[in-house]
Amino acid sequence: MSNTPHELTAEFPEFVALIHHLKTTDGHFARLFDSYHDVNGKIHRAETNIEPVDDFHMEDMRKNRMRLKDEIYGMLVHHEPEAETPEV
């Protein structure tokens, strides 16, 4: 059992600036980020026995974190900055 936090900035260091940008400009991304941060914190607390959970709940939380991480990664790699620039 790993008790290393899986913060998004550590998972995707090459996207730190884009993560910050999307958190402040894209409501959907911000909600995904907050959900990931919430479930990641719960997993970390369970892994360190601060708030233990049963194996089935842990597995569900890990699957949810993986799903959120995949969706966030997809948004990061497919982000098109020119789409945000207003046309003149």
Side-chain angles (χ1 to χ4, degrees), residues 56-79:
F56 295 111
H57 189 216
M58 179 66 86
E59 184 178 344
D60 285 343
M61 289 192 304
R62 286 182 174 153
K63 286 178 181 178
N64 187 32
R65 177 176 66 183
M66 185 172 36
R67 181 191 58 77
L68 290 164
K69 184 177 171 183
D70 287 348
E71 188 170 351
I72 288 168
Y73 180 74
M75 291 181 76
L76 292 171
V77 297
H78 294 107
H79 178 68

Side-chain angles (χ1 to χ4, degrees), residues 41-59:
K42 289 177 182 176
I43 291 169
H44 183 65
R45 288 190 300 278
E47 289 177 339
T48 56
N49 289 320
I50 294 170
E51 295 177 16
V53 298
D54 63 62
D55 290 342
F56 295 111
H57 189 216
M58 179 66 86
E59 184 178 344

